Amino acid sequence: MTQTTTAGAGLSTTASRIRVLVAVMLFVTVVINYLDRSNLSIAMPAIAGELDLSKAQQGLLLSAFGWTYAALQIPGGWLVDRVPPRVLYPVCLVLWSLATFFMGIIGGFAALIVLRLMVGVFEAPAYPINSKIATVWFPERERATTIGFYTSGQFIGLALLTPVLSWLQSVLSWHWVFVSTGLVGILWAVIWYAWYREPRDSRANDAEVELIKSGGGLVDLARERPERARITRGDLATVLGRRKLWGIYLGQFCLTSTLWFFLTWFPTYLVEYRDMDYIKSGFLASLPFVAALVGVLISGVLSDFLLRRGASLGAARKGPIIAGLLLSTLMVGASFTDSTALVIVFLSVAFFGNGLASITWSLVSALAPRRLFGLTGGMFNFIGNLSSIATPIVIGLIVTDDSFAPGFAYMTVITIAGILSYVFLVGKVERVEERG
């Protein structure tokens, strides 16, 4: 993070670094967020065996989170524009963690679907909150690094904790996968409420607040009350009527399709198509997440480095995204080898590319109309996370008992579509103005 000195009344004041603590808090929250999204994929082979679920039923259960998560992105974005993150985030954390906890207590296919739908409901505001906090707390030149850092939480948690949860399942049962992750989320909600504050209400000194503000951070955004209490046709016309915004919406759908393959079908692929036990599959399933983590950490640093070296905002932000999507197309190579080692290499390179491309929220920060951050972020996440519905269902329908190749072909086509979206639709990266 950048540190600066300001002069006032003959004295020199060094900017504090409270925003680093904020980045760490976002990181931990994302770890928990993604554990509660992916824990079902870890438990799915055991659940499917116990409940005798078909591939189509597994796809339906794996997609249940996405139905409510995607549908509530716009209402969630509206809520983010009106409820402070200090209050909204812990409330959401407690509620989705309780739903996760009860997935380990209540059995049955229908009950699991209902609880999974509830997890999607209460996680819906999470990433719009993250984007708003990053916009409020960090200057533009640090924002991609920050987004890359907290986004890496989804991969660090999955890389390090997937083997742990797999071991817990093998020693106890699949029920404990949900009980343990639910309890962790409730504990973190309490810590978040106790520690998080807006910049001017926090321990950040005036020099740090000025550093953020002068660098393009909207430190007073939380204090600005929306002029209108409801979403208007003009608001919707703005967020739905601009080519640039549709470029990032469609690009996000294609990018997150790869992520949702790994969050849903990947463990089942290793167990059922590669004949691995839970312990071995848990270890190998973690390797692509490690690769994705490296990609995420490189992406933010590389993007901000390019920006500081004089690259345009568009080149600095879109360059890593497009390069990462190109690498993700290598997933199709897994269809042409019988070697498990090569399969893991292909998928690790593909997921590294997905991580490299994961700074897409920096484009929301750069393009969203000033007054409509929450609504734009909600629309971005809504369209992007339709992939959480499409990916598990489509793959469940097109794969056969003997071959997963159609699934890899589908993922490759979707990734190529994402590249075309960023190249031809987004264009120059500049803030979209509201319609009059």
Side-chain angles (χ1 to χ4, degrees), residues 335-359:
S335 299
F336 300 99
T337 178
D338 293 325
S339 167
T340 297
L342 283 178
V343 165
I344 297 299
V345 169
F346 278 122
L347 295 180
S348 295
V349 171
F351 213 19
F352 168 83
N354 189 262
L356 188 65
S358 66
I359 56 167

Side-chain angles (χ1 to χ4, degrees), residues 211-255:
L211 182 154
I212 298 168
K213 185 176 181 180
S214 64
L218 304 182
V219 296
D220 295 313
L221 185 62
R223 298 187 178 192
E224 298 174 3
R225 299 300 179 189
E227 297 176 5
R228 296 184 285 262
R230 60 185 177 85
I231 299 172
T232 68
R233 291 182 179 179
D235 295 340
L236 290 174
T238 298
V239 300
L240 288 175
R242 302 302 179 88
R243 175 179 56 83
K244 292 180 185 296
L245 296 181
W246 272 105
I248 62 173
Y249 299 158
L250 296 176
Q252 185 71 354
F253 174 88
C254 299
L255 176 72

Side-chain angles (χ1 to χ4, degrees), residues 248-271:
I248 62 173
Y249 299 158
L250 296 176
Q252 185 71 354
F253 174 88
C254 299
L255 176 72
T256 56
S257 293
T258 298
L259 174 62
W260 280 104
F261 161 73
F262 282 98
L263 293 179
T264 56
W265 279 107
F266 183 46
T268 297
Y269 167 72
L270 293 181
V271 171

Side-chain angles (χ1 to χ4, degrees), residues 5-178:
T5 301
T6 59
L11 296 176
S12 178
T13 303
T14 300
S16 56
R17 299 173 66 83
I18 301 301
R19 64 195 186 283
V20 176
L21 174 61
V22 172
V24 172
M25 293 177 68
L26 287 173
F27 170 87
V28 174
T29 310
V30 169
V31 170
I32 295 169
N33 186 289
Y34 269 80
L35 280 178
D36 290 338
R37 297 186 192 195
S38 66
N39 50 18
L40 179 60
S41 69
I42 296 169
M44 180 55 76
I47 294 174
E50 183 175 311
L51 302 182
D52 193 26
L53 303 180
S54 67
K55 287 290 189 297
Q57 287 177 308
Q58 292 176 53
L60 180 61
L61 179 53
L62 288 167
S63 74
F65 168 92
W67 288 98
T68 48
Y69 182 80
L72 292 177
Q73 283 305 303
I74 296 174
W78 180 89
L79 201 61
V80 169
D81 283 334
R82 284 152 180 82
V83 181
R86 186 189 177 212
V87 175
L88 184 58
Y89 228 158
V91 168
C92 292
L93 266 162
V94 167
L95 292 174
W96 92 55
S97 297
L98 284 173
T100 298
F101 176 86
F102 281 109
M103 286 185 70
I105 303 298
I106 302 174
F109 180 63
L112 288 173
I113 286 183
V114 170
L115 288 168
R116 202 56 185 168
L117 290 169
M118 291 176 64
V119 175
V121 168
F122 299 122
E123 282 202 17
Y127 260 73
I129 296 174
N130 294 344
S131 182
K132 184 174 184 177
I133 291 172
T135 303
V136 166
W137 264 100
F138 296 90
E140 183 67 55
R141 64 179 177 273
E142 296 177 1
R143 202 168 296 153
T145 298
T146 301
I147 292 171
F149 172 67
Y150 73 66
T151 301
S152 74
Q154 67 195 47
F155 302 116
I156 288 180
L158 296 172
L160 298 181
L161 297 179
T162 292
V164 174
L165 293 179
S166 298
W167 171 83
L168 186 65
Q169 175 177 261
S170 67
V171 172
L172 298 174
S173 71
W174 63 264
H175 302 272
W176 283 93
V177 172
F178 302 105

